[in-house]
Amino acid sequence: MISHPKDKITTPQTVVFITSYNIAIGILTLPRVTVEEADSPDVWITVILGAVIAFISGIIIVKLSQQFVEKTFYQYSQDIVGNLVGKTLSILFIIYFLTLSALEIRVLAEVTGFYLLENTPGWAMIMPMMWAGIYLISGGINPLVRLLEIIFPFTVIIFMLVLFMSYNLFEINNLRPVLGLGVTPALKAIKTTALSYTCFESLLFLVAFMKHPAKAVKVVVIATIIPLVFYLLTVVMVIGVFSIDGVVTRVWPTIDLITSYELRGLIFERFDSLLLAVWVMQIFATFIITYFAGALGFAQVFNKNISLSIYIVLPVVYIIAMVPKDLNDIFTLGDWIGNSAIFLFGTVPLLLLIITKLKGGKVNAKI
Amino acid sequence: MQKYKIMRGVRRFIIFFSILFMSGCWSSVEVEERGFGVGVAFDIAEASENKESTDSLKKDLLTVTYQLINPNPTSQDNGEAVSGRKPYNNISQTGDSIHQIVRELARENEHPVFMPHLKVLVVSEEILKTLSLDEILDFHFRDNEVRLSTLAFVSSGKAYETLRTNQNDTFPAFRLLDISGNEYRTTKLLTPVPLAKLIGKMHSGSSFLLQNVVSSNGEVKFSGAAVIDGKTNKCLGFLNEEELEGYTWFTGEGEGGVIRTLDKETDQIVIFEVDEMESSITSTIDGAQIAFDVSIKSEGMLSESWIDSEEAIDNEFIKRIEKEIEETVAQLVTGVLEKTQQEYEVDVMGFGEHLRINHPKVWEEMKDDWDQTFSDVPITSNVTVKIVDYGSRIVK
């Protein structure tokens, strides 16, 4: 059903896919949430450690998916643990993806509502985004990936540019001392930083679309390094400017960083709208990826046509997006998603991989 | 075929309506109708004339003055420009909360205040003695319109006075902004503090300085700095110009400036222009006893000398002048140390920061009552000044 030749994506495309999936809400709040946990300027170390953990889970997911040629998780999970358990797991995954996609679009509406379109109602921002997203993914994975390829370079260039422009306010003392109170503070936030790399779960279905599935490990390596650089720079610059006492009081510290300076004499004086523009594109990217993942799962578990399932899950996503009443609800929902990600993508793939290895030849024979 | 035609019609209808409703910006306001606020001043409440409010809950706590750009200052009257109109409007309102005051302004000004272009924020010393900086600025830290690049100042007189000028072609708010950028010319200016930096300072519990502005008859001058208590975020008092100069030397933050010294032998004035300055703190901890030593180094040129030109500029002369400049700097530094240690008993010089970075464990124990500890800590300083140049005049 999904394995037409034209539905294959190249290895660089896979990297862009995963990286775009990764860079989302977290980039705006990461400096605050990590400092809240660790209460130490050492969180940049935690960001690196988190990447290592994410990398390991990514490798496990790849190793698992590589066992089953051209099959997505929704299909092969049933081969490993049987119909019932496999389907249950798949449905949990679908719920996860759809909730995440709802969260992304809700945060998108919140942030644009706060910074850009103050009087625009939430639904008026969410709906056009959703319809645009549906239009895009009804073409399958290829148009989706191509869009990501177009917006990715803009994101990298603009994001780096606006981050480095705050160098005037940067104070190295805000990042010192390094490990002044030992390693414990740095380890406290490790869950938070590891969760900011939740993107490798996409490989559960993405490997099936890869032209060269054997290169998936390479993909994981590169797709860990790119977000690592992003997150590291963000955390270092934001803490360097605000200090840890200041960063914990800001809801969206990364946006605040860009509003902290004005550069006179350039074409623009202020760059926050540029940052918001690329960020909106990245959130949209994450939204359509998770939406696609959910719809694909729905189609494969219930044996429906994918273009039909896209519309079936549409109201679900919209309703979940509208459920949180306020900002605290949204962050709580985000925490739930994070915790379920630990279970779903931290432990389940590992267990499945062990089962597959134990079963050995039996599964391979099926293919 | 019929079916396709209907489909096409439906599609066109949808597109037409989407364009109708989705184009343009939902919350747009024409630029002429914006009241661009460029400066804001906070003062202790003053009785407002004929602005009676019927709101019984409202207490008169503070007066807020917003400076708005006047959209058409040179409006033509019968072909002749109306003279004497200022390019800005200052509007004041009294109340007990900033946001309510802002909204109140919308009832008496045709253009509500629009704050993304806010450049400066002046808090009067008077109000900073009763209210904390955190309380006064809370609204500005929450609001989505305010940018964190807005600079914060303290005024030792009325804050709204600093937003006034006698000239008709300058914006007082921009004037403050521009003066604060002259740090490379003098050591008597504090590095400007944008709101972005203020957040951390206010919540770290450490005391800090804010640039003080004095004003009279539409003229302003940056003079000294206000000492803000880290615990209460209230104003404790001021450092005068010389003490601020001492602070700049002490922290090595100066980007340029001059030092005036009296040559003892000839009783004439000598001016040293700073090229580079740096300072470093070293600490010795012996049990519970802490001691600091500060070493200040500077290089620069002899830029003006009133000494009888008979005296040759040789090594001996340079040595002598260097020594005298060192003494002058040492005096400035001692002055500011005495003031902060003995009079205000707060650490604004960064000793706490030094401990936090270099002795984090000691700092963890001391941070809660650091200001008290600090006032008894022995501090020594040594200054090294090097004259590397004496300009393009040579005296034989």
Side-chain angles (χ1 to χ4, degrees), chain B residues 31-189:
Chain B
V31 70
E32 300 85 26
E33 285 162 21
R34 293 276 199 207
F36 285 100
V38 289
V40 57
F42 300 93
D43 282 288
I44 211 132
E46 290 191 356
S48 47
E49 328 108 39
N50 62 43
K51 280 180 188 168
E52 278 171 36
S53 171
T54 47
D55 190 346
S56 58
L57 293 172
K58 201 182 87 176
K59 285 181 294 183
D60 283 350
L61 195 64
L62 68 165
T63 297
V64 182
T65 308
Y66 280 97
Q67 179 156 85
L68 303 183
I69 294 181
N70 195 345
N72 39 356
T74 51
S75 62
Q76 306 277 299
D77 204 9
N78 293 336
E80 272 176 61
V82 182
S83 60
R85 286 200 61 181
K86 292 182 187 293
Y88 63 89
N89 284 332
N90 284 357
I91 48 174
S92 300
Q93 184 62 255
T94 300
D96 55 9
S97 67
I98 314 293
H99 204 186
Q100 162 248 66
I101 289 171
V102 170
R103 294 303 161 92
E104 201 89 331
L105 290 172
R107 295 202 292 149
E108 53 189 60
N109 196 292
E110 62 271 44
H111 309 306
V113 187
F114 180 62
M115 278 183 281
H117 293 268
L118 205 63
K119 302 284 183 207
V120 294
L121 187 148
V122 190
V123 189
S124 82
E125 169 213 359
E126 226 182 337
I127 195 160
L128 215 47
K129 290 227 156 111
T130 50
L131 299 174
S132 90
L133 200 57
D134 208 9
E135 290 167 334
I136 300 171
L137 297 184
D138 185 71
F139 164 69
H140 283 84
F141 279 123
R142 276 178 209 276
D143 195 68
N144 56 351
E145 280 186 358
V146 177
R147 293 172 57 85
L148 297 178
S149 54
T150 311
L151 299 183
F153 301 103
V154 171
S155 75
S156 46
K158 291 287 179 196
Y160 62 76
E161 289 279 352
T162 63
L163 293 183
R164 286 183 182 170
T165 162
N166 295 327
Q167 287 139 332
N168 281 343
D169 52 351
T170 47
F171 287 97
F174 291 136
R175 179 180 59 188
L176 293 180
L177 181 72
D178 290 340
I179 295 176
S180 72
N182 293 344
E183 212 197 332
Y184 66 103
R185 304 295 280 181
T186 166
T187 46
K188 291 181 185 176
L189 285 181

Side-chain angles (χ1 to χ4, degrees), chain A residues 23-142:
Chain A
I23 296 162
I25 307 170
I27 202 108
L28 296 191
T29 52
L30 187 71
R32 171 173 55 83
V33 290
T34 48
V35 174
E36 270 171 0
E37 297 282 333
D39 191 26
S40 146
D42 291 333
V43 287
W44 59 271
I45 298 170
T46 328
V47 169
I48 300 174
L49 295 177
V52 174
I53 294 177
F55 176 77
I56 295 168
S57 86
I59 295 291
I60 293 170
I61 289 171
V62 163
K63 288 288 168 213
L64 176 67
S65 293
Q66 278 175 341
Q67 309 280 321
F68 305 93
V69 181
E70 296 200 338
K71 274 190 171 183
T72 69
F73 176 84
Y74 306 114
Q75 295 162 325
Y76 67 66
S77 62
Q78 299 172 30
D79 295 348
I80 307 173
V81 285
N83 216 343
L84 184 69
V85 183
K87 273 199 172 161
T88 317
L89 278 178
S90 298
I91 289 168
L92 285 177
F93 277 33
I94 294 165
I95 295 172
Y96 170 85
F97 281 124
L98 293 181
T99 318
L100 183 54
S101 116
L103 177 79
E104 296 289 335
I105 202 144
R106 175 66 190 267
V107 173
L108 177 69
E110 284 303 316
V111 173
T112 42
F114 187 71
Y115 285 100
L116 297 169
L117 312 165
E118 204 176 342
N119 297 321
T120 311
W123 58 265
M125 288 181 270
I126 290 179
M127 278 189 174
M129 283 289 177
M130 292 191 78
W131 287 110
I134 285 170
Y135 175 65
L136 182 70
I137 61 174
S138 59
I141 197 165
N142 256 300

Side-chain angles (χ1 to χ4, degrees), chain A residues 114 117-121 124 169 171 173 176-177 180-181 240-243 245-246 249-250 256 258-262 264 269-270 272, chain B residues 22 25-27 116-119 141-145 147-149 177-178 194 196-197 199-200 203-204 353 356-358 360-361 364:
Chain A
F114 187 71
L117 312 165
E118 204 176 342
N119 297 321
T120 311
L169 297 164
E171 280 175 48
N173 275 357
R176 293 167 67 196
L181 297 172
V241 169
F242 289 115
S243 82
D245 297 301
T249 66
R250 306 306 295 172
D256 286 339
I258 317 299
T259 68
S260 302
Y261 63 85
E262 285 176 14
R264 291 213 231 168
E269 261 187 29
R270 19 188 86 182
D272 22 335
Chain B
M22 283 163 63
C25 182
W26 197 294
S27 357
H117 293 268
L118 205 63
K119 302 284 183 207
F141 279 123
R142 276 178 209 276
D143 195 68
N144 56 351
E145 280 186 358
R147 293 172 57 85
L148 297 178
S149 54
L177 181 72
D178 290 340
K197 289 283 174 199
I199 304 168
H203 294 100
S204 65
E353 179 93 342
R356 183 181 69 78
I357 291 168
N358 295 293
K361 300 228 164 71
E364 281 303 305

